Amino acid sequence: MRALLLLSALLTACASGSRAAPKTGGADIPAAAPQVSPGNLDGPRVLGDLPARAQRLGAGAPSLVGSGLAAENDWVGGFVDLPSDDCLLAYARGGPSVTDVDVAVYSDDGAVLAVDEGRDVHPTVVLCPPHPARVYVAGHVAEGEGPVAVGAQLVPIARAATVAQSLGAHGALEQGSVPADVGPGLDDAIRRHYIELGGKWQEARRLALTLDARVPAYVGIAIDANRCVDTFLVPSEDLASLDAEVLDSDGRTLARSRDSSGPSGIIVCSPVGLTGTLSIRPHVGRGLAAIVFARADSDVYRDISARPEVAWVSPRHSLQAAKSVLEAALSNAGYAAPVATASGALTPAARTLLPIDLKAATGGACLRIDVTGGEPLALFEARLWSDGGSLLASDQASSSALLFACASGVGRLELEASGSPGPFSVTLRPERWRDAAFEALPLAASRMLARVAYGPERIAHGKERYVRVVALDAASVVSWSESVPAGRCVHLAAGVQGEGAGLELRAFDGADAELDRAAGADAVAVRACAPSGAGRLVRFEMRASAGRLKAVVGERLD
């Protein structure tokens, strides 16, 4: 009974309380608006302790490049200004609901400079000089959704290797940071590579790159107009065979390396300047590889004795635009108008034959034959044969070939596309440089004339000085001396024909110090200059690599 009275009292109290404070907004409507506080997603919290770890290793203060909530395939990023002598450490991190995030560094023109797109949530890259003054750093959500943050820090070059290895970063480290497991024997491997390759190469850049079979690594690459770039790859023992390719800024493949378990190379030549990306991926393993970039004039392909992967990049010009540029340049250089023209289209695996009247040039002059290609023609070969079947001239080019015909009679021009098909035009005009030796040794003369002509339109500069015929063999050296006027330079070129193979040409000053040297299969050229205050006596030495050859040597004074 007492319990019932207590329960009755409690119910009465609850009822009276309800009547004292009724809800004003109804049973399902909140009493007030929620409180909103200003602020953004805490990006540094998403990055965790990585920036602090990088600082302890030698990196500079961190910067938050970008942060936000991102869904699958969303990007978060921003531009970062880079000092020319510092490396960049870039990374992206995601929240627990982001299961795969990537980080990439791009140049202003869209070329990939560094990327880590492995299947994880800790992507990190290191990019060392040379690099652009401004890059775009971006994080990409490959799987999941949630908070994402992208950070960047500057790293001194001396600390780049330590930072990259300690943080498991992908990316390029410069020559001073090439680790010991890649460095030993590297200089010898590079020396052997360029001796076997042939031609004159100048090393431009050396770096080490962390490679992983799970994801490709990328390095930015630049090719100047009318230049070739050789990329020499030397993997460490931790890596199986490498797959490597060069991509242009649009992502098109320009060249691929042959599958190799040891050192390998790729050569790309271009008549126009371009930027691109080198992509490398091992079949198995994770480790370091040394990468050496070297440059040479585009004529170097004539001197290459080995045959690595050589790719040509064609300029994106119409045939009419390319012809207009050529005709204007030749006219300004003093060439006469064409005496004959022809045109057509080339396709791979099909030869185009054109009859050539070798008497079209009067007065004993050689014929200059320009073969100009238009987009999308990418690579073709041109050979000129006499009516008796003797080779008179040959050339290989991406967009424009040059041949000199120094024989009489009727010839046959043979054209064949090796790459993409496209239209072509042929023009014939008298060559300005004349000498009786040219018709006596027409193939050697054509090779010499082609070598002395350089630049985009392949024009010989300066004033011709002399032409001489030299007999060569492998057992002896032919030498002679020439005086070079003060402040001037001589450009000496030689072409050969005969039963031998290869030749070497060297230039020395009066103290026997080597000024220049060149070696090639059938043509070479060297350059020697005198200081502005006094003339210089220069000694030239030339020999055949094997057998006996006849050489036509021509000198021009710049």
Side-chain angles (χ1 to χ4, degrees), residues 386-463:
S386 70
D387 54 358
S390 299
L391 181 66
L392 298 177
S394 64
D395 196 10
Q396 181 186 43
S398 62
S399 59
S400 60
L402 174 61
L403 303 94
F404 291 91
C406 298
S408 58
V410 177
R412 183 179 75 253
L413 180 62
E414 179 182 281
L415 304 175
E416 183 175 2
S418 304
S420 302
F424 73 89
S425 172
V426 178
T427 58
L428 282 65
R429 50 171 45 88
E431 167 55 30
R432 297 175 303 166
W433 196 356
R434 305 183 181 192
D435 194 276
F438 293 166
E439 189 170 357
L441 295 168
L443 180 57
S446 71
R447 289 167 171 170
M448 185 278 290
L449 291 169
R451 180 50 59 92
V452 83
Y454 56 92
E457 286 75 37
R458 307 281 297 276
I459 296 173
H461 297 274
K463 175 66 176 175

Side-chain angles (χ1 to χ4, degrees), residues 197-453:
L197 189 60
K200 295 169 62 177
W201 295 90
Q202 179 181 7
E203 184 175 325
R205 185 183 179 195
R206 186 184 301 190
L207 52 87
L209 192 67
T210 303
L211 303 180
D212 193 318
R214 298 171 298 176
V215 58
Y218 297 91
V219 179
I221 184 172
I223 305 174
D224 296 329
N226 296 296
R227 303 278 278 178
C228 295
V229 170
D230 174 67
T231 303
F232 183 49
L233 309 173
V234 183
S236 65
E237 295 180 356
D238 299 327
L239 299 172
S241 56
L242 302 179
D243 288 333
E245 60 182 2
V246 177
L247 312 171
D248 67 9
S249 58
D250 295 327
R252 299 179 303 176
T253 299
L254 301 178
R256 288 189 177 94
S257 70
R258 294 187 178 98
D259 182 16
S260 174
S261 58
S264 59
I266 310 175
I267 297 176
V268 179
C269 301
S270 177
V272 294
L274 63 89
T275 58
T277 303
L278 172 68
S279 171
I280 316 169
R281 185 172 186 171
H283 288 189
V284 179
R286 186 177 193 276
L288 289 163
I291 305 173
V292 181
F293 295 101
R295 299 190 180 99
D297 291 335
S298 58
D299 285 343
V300 75
Y301 76 90
R302 296 188 179 94
D303 300 334
I304 295 175
S305 54
R307 284 299 170 189
E309 292 294 323
V310 181
W312 286 88
V313 181
S314 62
R316 299 177 186 176
H317 299 312
S318 67
L319 179 60
Q320 186 57 47
K323 287 173 56 179
S324 298
V325 171
L326 174 67
E327 292 302 321
L330 294 180
S331 176
N332 291 336
Y335 277 93
V339 295
T341 61
S343 60
L346 299 181
T347 57
R351 296 182 181 180
T352 298
L353 300 178
L354 299 175
I356 300 293
D357 180 8
L358 301 179
K359 297 179 181 178
T362 58
C366 299
L367 272 178
R368 176 185 171 118
I369 304 174
D370 288 282
V371 185
T372 305
E375 187 182 8
L377 187 62
L379 176 64
F380 65 92
E381 295 182 359
R383 297 182 181 89
L384 180 66
W385 303 90
S386 70
D387 54 358
S390 299
L391 181 66
L392 298 177
S394 64
D395 196 10
Q396 181 186 43
S398 62
S399 59
S400 60
L402 174 61
L403 303 94
F404 291 91
C406 298
S408 58
V410 177
R412 183 179 75 253
L413 180 62
E414 179 182 281
L415 304 175
E416 183 175 2
S418 304
S420 302
F424 73 89
S425 172
V426 178
T427 58
L428 282 65
R429 50 171 45 88
E431 167 55 30
R432 297 175 303 166
W433 196 356
R434 305 183 181 192
D435 194 276
F438 293 166
E439 189 170 357
L441 295 168
L443 180 57
S446 71
R447 289 167 171 170
M448 185 278 290
L449 291 169
R451 180 50 59 92
V452 83

